Amino acid sequence: MATKLPAKPPEPQIRQPQRDDGGSVVLERRTQKVKPPQMYQVVLLNDDYTPMEFVVVVIQEYFNKDVETATQIMLKIHLDGRGVCGVYSKDVAATKVDQVLEAANKAGHPLKCISEPVES
Ligand code: TYC
């Protein structure tokens, strides 16, 4: 499979040469600002039926957290209704959501998972 090369930074924009009053040619360089990519947070939502132990395992497995951190995040979700499990690029966040929903469906739990842009 062909791998994509990283995108090149944009070339500085150079406008048409202008003449100043003294007859010399002046080139104006305007460097384009490159913004960092929008990041997405993956959020688990609380429900009344998914077992706490299952949520802790999901957070460990799909978000690479240790058992203590995963338990803290699970308890936060249980108490607040939602909790951020990780922050990723858009594609990786969407894949995490799919993986969590598939694991929950397979196990017969109604666990919900979403991704949303991180506010800057
Ligand atoms: N509220 C669930 C319970 O009491 C536990 C739970 C935690 C469910 C986090 C979902 O994302 C969740 N069994």
Side-chain angles (χ1 to χ4, degrees), residues 44-52 55 74 77-78 111-112:
L44 281 185
L45 305 178
N46 190 36
D47 67 72
D48 291 338
Y49 305 102
T50 304
M52 290 183 173
V55 178
M74 181 282 294
I77 302 165
H78 179 71
L111 180 63
K112 288 290 163 270

Side-chain angles (χ1 to χ4, degrees), residues 104-117:
N105 281 338
K106 270 193 184 155
H109 300 312
L111 180 63
K112 288 290 163 270
C113 181
I114 60 170
S115 70
E116 61 188 23

Side-chain angles (χ1 to χ4, degrees), residues 53-92:
E53 298 74 18
F54 181 81
V55 178
V56 172
V57 169
V58 161
I59 296 171
Q60 288 180 85
E61 289 212 349
Y62 296 105
F63 302 100
N64 303 315
K65 306 295 188 204
D66 59 40
V67 66
E68 292 83 11
T69 307
T71 304
Q72 282 176 7
I73 295 172
M74 181 282 294
L75 286 174
K76 189 212 176 277
I77 302 165
H78 179 71
L79 296 172
D80 297 352
R82 53 177 274 147
V84 175
C85 296
V87 174
Y88 308 95
S89 67
K90 189 174 190 177
D91 287 1
V92 173

